[in-house]
Amino acid sequence: DVVLTQTPPTLSATIGQSVSISCRSSQSLLHSNGNTYLHWLLQRPGQSPQLLIYLVSRLESGVPNRFSGSGSGTDFTLTINPVQADDIATYYCQQSRESPWTFGGGTKLELK
Amino acid sequence: EVQLQQSGPEVGRPGSSVKISCKASGYTFTDYVMNWVKQSPGQGLEWIGWIDPEYGSTDYAEKFKKKATLTADTSSNTAYIQLSSLTSEDTATYFCARSGPGCPFAYWGQGTLVTVSS
């Protein structure tokens, strides 16, 4: 199975700060069709997860452009700039390059 | 607007089965794969499997092949997951999630809490 390792597990930030979350895959997520199947989701406390970014860097409709995704192959980054109070959540990376689909362990973003 | 409405919380006795529903609206049900995801209390997300409602084809994570059965009723636009031989390890919130362009988890249901208790 593809293992996704997220760091850090927790992140403390102030409003207006820029933060980044790393996601490293145990194997390349690049498909022969040219797409890289790495996505980012967030889950606010007590809510369902929601899609933020798909295929590494494509912002889901309605997601503010404070969020951005980058990376290739096995190394990926989610950046939030600037952090807002509404961004307090747990963030997960997820791969759909190879079944079984897998998730990273999550990064919990807290306010300082 | 895409909506996925899941059934309410369930309590199941050890060894029994429960069946959760996910009613879809706002799109053509047979056009998209439906996934199911487990979230144990305080834990992360685990993919259980998917079903293609048009053909009834399925794929499961190895760990859930004997635990979960995915079905879909195209007449009512509803996907189902049945969990069998319940143990305390099955206590969790279960989500249905519809695929989208390039991503399996574009839209999510509100989740259904399953509690296994005698």
Side-chain angles (χ1 to χ4, degrees), chain A residues 37 39 41 43 48-51 54-55 60 92 94 96 99-101 103, chain B residues 35 39 43-45 47 50 59 95 101-106 108-110:
Chain A
Y37 289 91
H39 323 291
L41 303 100
Q43 185 177 30
S48 302
Q50 62 184 85
L51 181 64
Y54 62 100
L55 299 176
E60 174 68 348
Y92 296 95
Q94 186 270 319
S96 57
S99 181
W101 310 150
F103 295 87
Chain B
N35 288 272
Q39 186 168 40
Q43 302 300 309
L45 304 169
W47 176 68
W50 58 252
D59 186 24
F95 296 97
C103 174
F105 306 112
W108 292 72
Q110 83 274 26

Side-chain angles (χ1 to χ4, degrees), chain B residues 94-106:
Chain B
Y94 294 83
F95 296 97
C96 59
R98 200 210 83 176
S99 63
C103 174
F105 306 112

Side-chain angles (χ1 to χ4, degrees), chain B residues 4-50:
Chain B
L4 302 175
Q5 183 64 40
Q6 295 186 228
S7 49
E10 297 271 359
V11 177
R13 294 198 182 278
S16 70
S17 298
V18 295
K19 192 171 186 177
I20 301 165
S21 66
C22 170
K23 183 169 178 59
S25 60
Y27 70 98
T28 301
F29 183 59
T30 50
D31 281 354
Y32 295 91
V33 163
M34 189 73 77
N35 288 272
W36 290 87
V37 173
K38 176 184 180 181
Q39 186 168 40
S40 300
Q43 302 300 309
L45 304 169
E46 279 186 281
W47 176 68
I48 296 170
W50 58 252

